[in-house]
Amino acid sequence: MTPKIKYLVCNLKANKLKEEMIEYERELKNIKVKEDTKLIVCPSFIYLYMFQNENYDLGSQDVSEYTEGAHTGEITASQLQSMGVKYALVGHSERRETFKEEEKTIINKIKKSYHSHVKPIYFIGENELEKNNNQTKKVLKQQLKNIIDEVPDYKREKLIIVYEPIWAIGSGETPDNSLIRNRIQCIKDFNKGVYELNLPVLYGGSVNGDNVDELLKIDNLDGFVIGGSSHNIEELKEIYNKI
Ligand code: PEP
């Protein structure tokens, strides 16, 4: 059975110069929209102003943990909201690792997002060592608990969860379907069992035009996050058309 894919999130990361981005957006807005699948594009902050079209939704790759004020270099959730941003990526492994972002910061970012009606897209996933030590399920549950416990009940159902095994990001190595299905089910069962929540769970990590057909056989998936393959507009179109 093909799953009902509700989200395709494009994480453009720190890529493209201004003219390239203008061209990219021109192509993107011509994509034939699917009613049931949200296409969410997350460019760098400086390019958000270019992405103002109803064919897709706008997301940011990060959000400040602070509110307006003397925080040089920060971009707040309310500023993002004023630019039409509806979603914010939070807890991406690149931010956790490179920028040493800790759970406390991630929680603050999620709270600030909610406050400005920006929906958080929360990333969880195990690293290679945790996988090899059979720690994956424990790590995933802890990452979920750390956040959900801190979010007021009535806002919890707005969370979108992304399962990204860190070892699969940008590596060209995708786990096999049974592993992804099993992890996604573990996340869904935990959310349901402990919090009575039916949250969407997306998969990210080296999804591309060649492997998406195979990944679409995973019946409990709600969507994908694509990094590398979203940078090429033709590949993005190919993936979007297949789902
Ligand atoms: C990501 O970094 O969120 C991601 C999914 O990257 P890639 O598709 O390049 O593995």
Side-chain angles (χ1 to χ4, degrees), residues 202-221:
L202 283 46
Y203 168 75
S206 295
V207 178
N208 58 43
D210 291 333
N211 62 19
V212 70
D213 285 322
E214 183 60 24
L215 292 166
L216 280 168
K217 293 179 188 159
I218 304 170
D219 60 5
N220 57 358
L221 258 185

Side-chain angles (χ1 to χ4, degrees), residues 140-185:
L140 296 179
K141 288 176 188 174
Q142 193 59 51
Q143 287 175 330
L144 288 167
K145 187 170 160 35
N146 290 348
I147 296 305
I148 300 177
D149 281 351
E150 294 290 330
V151 174
D153 287 9
Y154 69 101
K155 289 186 173 167
R156 288 176 176 170
E157 65 199 27
K158 296 205 173 83
L159 266 178
I160 297 171
I161 308 292
V162 184
Y163 169 57
E164 283 201 350
I166 298 171
W167 47 274
I169 299 173
S171 65
E173 193 188 337
T174 31
D176 62 38
N177 282 4
S178 64
L179 184 143
I180 299 175
R181 192 190 182 287
N182 180 284
R183 304 292 195 251
I184 292 204
Q185 202 53 46

Side-chain angles (χ1 to χ4, degrees), residues 100 135 172 215 243:
K100 306 286 169 254
Q135 298 282 300
L215 292 166
I243 62 180

Side-chain angles (χ1 to χ4, degrees), residues 11-13 15 170 206-208 225-232 235:
N11 179 6
L12 292 170
K13 309 195 182 185
N15 287 291
S206 295
V207 178
N208 58 43
V225 175
I226 53 174
S229 55
S230 69
H231 306 168
N232 176 333
E235 190 161 15

Side-chain angles (χ1 to χ4, degrees), residues 8-10 12 23-41 51 53-57 226 229-243:
L8 180 64
V9 181
C10 304
L12 292 170
E23 183 54 33
Y24 184 91
E25 198 281 334
R26 196 176 294 139
E27 293 283 333
L28 188 72
K29 69 174 169 240
N30 290 328
I31 276 187
K32 203 167 167 313
V33 211
K34 287 170 192 263
E35 272 199 8
D36 299 339
T37 310
K38 274 194 185 302
L39 177 63
I40 302 173
V41 59
F51 288 79
N53 191 281
E54 60 200 20
N55 265 12
Y56 50 76
D57 281 320
I226 53 174
S229 55
S230 69
H231 306 168
N232 176 333
I233 192 75
E234 292 309 320
E235 190 161 15
L236 161 58
K237 281 187 198 165
E238 182 186 349
I239 295 171
Y240 188 62
N241 286 336
K242 283 181 174 178
I243 62 180

